Amino acid sequence: MDEQTFEDYKSKYLDLYEKTKEQSEVEKASILNDIDFEIELMHKDEVNVAYILNLLDQINDNDDTEEQQKKRQQVSDLLSGDIDLRSKKELIEKFIDEQLVGNKVASVQDAFDAYWSKEQRKAFFQLCEEENLKQTKVEKIIEEKLFADEVPALREKVRKAMKEKQSILVRKKSIPRIIDKINNFINTFIEGMAA
């Protein structure tokens, strides 16, 4: 290869080197921007009952029914998207429909607390009635589950809460069902309700 050909190749090589160097520097910056954006997407505001109550206040304060429906949809979407609040979705939507849409309440917090207590009592009595359980025993089980997530001899405590004795085969199916209902009751009405 003669010297001129070598210089031509060298110059082409340097041109390509500069272009790729510039592109890689631009790519590095864009990758960092992408990472920052992804981190921002991963950051999620905590949605809790206090936040939902704030949105319910906005529904209550707004006279425009179209705006109320937008806020209601926003609350519904938030409840659907949060695993901890999903069990409360139906009741909160029922509260909105019965208490806020078309009505004005003096205090959303007070109205919500009264509604929630009423629905909690109703669900508790329904659970005890459907499963034929002693209310005081079920209350003790719930208190124990709230204090210590794992309740020793839970199956035995549920058996003792039953008003009528059941055969072993019937208990084998009914005790897990009752435990599930108690856990669902706790998840819906008690867990995450501190505003």
Side-chain angles (χ1 to χ4, degrees):
M1 177 182 312
D2 63 8
E3 196 171 322
Q4 184 59 41
T5 308
F6 177 75
E7 290 298 321
D8 289 342
Y9 279 114
K10 182 178 172 186
S11 115
K12 291 282 185 191
Y13 171 77
L14 291 174
D15 288 343
L16 288 172
Y17 174 76
E18 288 297 320
K19 284 181 183 178
T20 57
K21 183 178 173 185
E22 288 172 7
Q23 287 176 351
S24 66
E25 287 176 5
V26 170
E27 286 178 20
K28 285 181 186 176
S30 69
I31 290 172
L32 290 177
N33 289 338
D34 290 344
I35 290 172
D36 288 340
F37 177 70
E38 292 296 325
I39 289 173
E40 286 178 31
L41 282 178
M42 286 174 31
H43 173 72
K44 179 183 172 206
D45 291 331
E46 183 179 338
V47 176
N48 57 20
V49 174
Y51 184 74
I52 298 296
L53 285 173
N54 183 30
L55 291 174
L56 297 181
D57 264 334
Q58 293 174 16
I59 291 173
N60 188 50
D61 293 341
N62 201 325
D63 292 330
D64 182 12
T65 54
E66 187 176 315
E67 193 63 33
Q68 283 181 335
Q69 288 302 322
K70 284 181 184 177
K71 289 291 181 191
R72 186 192 187 290
Q73 186 61 44
Q74 183 182 4
V75 169
S76 181
D77 292 344
L78 285 171
L79 293 171
S80 296
D82 191 291
I83 197 157
D84 295 330
L85 295 174
R86 193 172 290 169
S87 63
K88 299 163 182 39
K89 179 183 179 192
E90 184 179 323
L91 284 169
I92 292 174
E93 288 178 342
K94 188 176 168 190
F95 169 76
I96 293 170
D97 292 338
E98 291 177 4
Q99 304 286 322
L100 298 181
V101 175
N103 298 322
K104 286 277 187 201
V105 294
S107 168
V108 171
Q109 177 75 48
D110 293 341
F112 184 79
D113 289 344
Y115 174 81
W116 204 259
S117 293
K118 181 186 88 176
E119 291 296 321
Q120 183 178 2
R121 281 190 307 276
K122 191 165 84 174
F124 177 78
F125 293 134
Q126 182 179 353
L127 167 67
C128 292
E129 186 178 316
E130 283 176 0
E131 296 297 339
N132 202 17
L133 301 170
K134 300 173 188 169
Q135 294 176 6
T136 55
K137 299 275 188 184
V138 175
E139 286 174 350
K140 287 181 182 178
I141 292 171
I142 291 171
E143 287 173 10
E144 226 176 307
K145 283 206 58 81
L146 290 174
F147 181 72
D149 194 36
E150 290 298 317
V151 178
L154 178 61
R155 294 179 65 81
E156 182 62 22
K157 289 178 182 181
V158 170
R159 187 192 63 76
K160 288 181 179 178
M162 294 176 174
K163 289 181 180 177
E164 297 175 5
K165 289 193 175 218
Q166 296 178 343
S167 69
I168 293 173
L169 292 175
V170 173
R171 275 195 321 242
K172 191 174 183 178
K173 291 181 181 179
S174 64
I175 288 178
R177 182 185 67 239
I178 292 169
I179 291 172
D180 283 345
K181 285 185 175 185
I182 290 172
N183 287 332
N184 289 338
F185 176 83
I186 290 170
N187 288 336
T188 300
F189 290 100
I190 301 169
E191 292 286 321
M193 288 307 296

